[in-house]
Amino acid sequence: MNKIKSLFKLIVGNDIEYKVRKCDLCDSKSQKVFKVKPSEEWAPVKNYYRDKGLLNDDFLKIPDTFTLVKCANCGLVYTSPRLKDSIVNRFYNEYLGGKYKEYIHEYDSEFREQVFKEYMEIIESNSGFDTGNILDIGCAKGSLLKVAKERGWKTYGIEVSALAGGDAEQHGVILIGDVLEQLERFEKENFDVVSMIDTLEHLKSPRATLQKIYSVMKNGGLVYIEVPNVEAGLDEMSRHFYLFSFETMEKMLSSIGFNKVEQIESKINQYNPIDVGDDRRFLRVVARK
């Protein structure tokens, strides 16, 4: 614990929360350092602002390293200290809007659409529904919603990026803003399916989000979740606030009331077509209300 406290005393700028946070799964404050890693994912963004001569930008204040801690009670892995939501949301708004296209490989909507065709097959085969109301949280430019709409689903999305969400509006009803705040706008027991693909790891409280998702799902509805798999040791970055194993994901879902929690196998292992694939990279889980 002393080692952790000493880390939090570092001067890390205004864009970091450096207080010790309790575990989002079990509320324990007992934690140990899991890994200290370089914040390599921010290098292209920092290079952009340096090249533009914008040397006072907040992105340049992000520390060169970040710390992953592991709950000593339940095993959930999370970043602490953690970047504020405002800077992470700003990054995704600018990234999805193409601001860094000369520095970071652009979000490939066409590639993601092909991936999401398989995901919709997984969703339909596990839910038993071939139509209904589907909510995609973190819908980006609406690639999954496009596929779902073409298959006859009534489509809804939540997206923090106004630029990406604007593109998604052609594929469904899109709410733009904080995920928890937007979930409050839906009636209870409204959705047959809720999907969260590469989203849950970015949120300040996965448990609070899943509790709210549970309330807006119909009885018998399905939640489909994809997150980085902590056991793969990949996708460890400061803007991924949480890293789940199947064990910690199952504990969290079950504690909220979800049942029939199952891990889904898939050979899809790339976010963009240039990525190096690893079959362990993603953890995919379905559960029922």
Side-chain angles (χ1 to χ4, degrees), residues 126-171:
N126 281 274
S127 68
F129 307 132
D130 54 13
T131 59
N133 293 344
I134 184 170
L135 170 65
D136 187 30
I137 300 175
C139 66
K141 297 184 179 183
S143 298
L144 178 72
L145 298 179
K146 180 177 185 291
V147 173
K149 187 176 181 180
E150 290 171 349
R151 297 169 79 101
W153 289 78
K154 190 172 183 180
T155 50
Y156 301 80
I158 296 175
E159 175 53 46
V160 298
S161 166
L163 290 171
D167 288 343
E169 287 178 342
Q170 61 187 306
H171 306 305

Side-chain angles (χ1 to χ4, degrees), residues 238-253:
S238 60
R239 53 182 179 253
H240 287 172
F241 298 159
Y242 295 91
L243 293 173
F244 288 90
S245 64
F246 177 71
E247 181 181 5
T248 55
M249 180 66 75
E250 183 179 34
K251 285 179 182 177
M252 184 169 285
L253 289 166

Side-chain angles (χ1 to χ4, degrees), residues 121-129 222 224 262 264 286 288:
E121 291 176 4
I122 292 172
I123 287 169
E124 290 175 356
S125 65
N126 281 274
S127 68
F129 307 132
L222 185 88
Y224 175 80
E262 298 179 20
I264 299 298
V286 294
R288 291 275 191 177

Side-chain angles (χ1 to χ4, degrees), residues 36-48:
V36 178
K37 300 199 65 176
S39 302
E40 296 173 343
E41 71 273 18
W42 292 108
V45 179
K46 291 181 178 183
N47 288 339
Y48 172 90

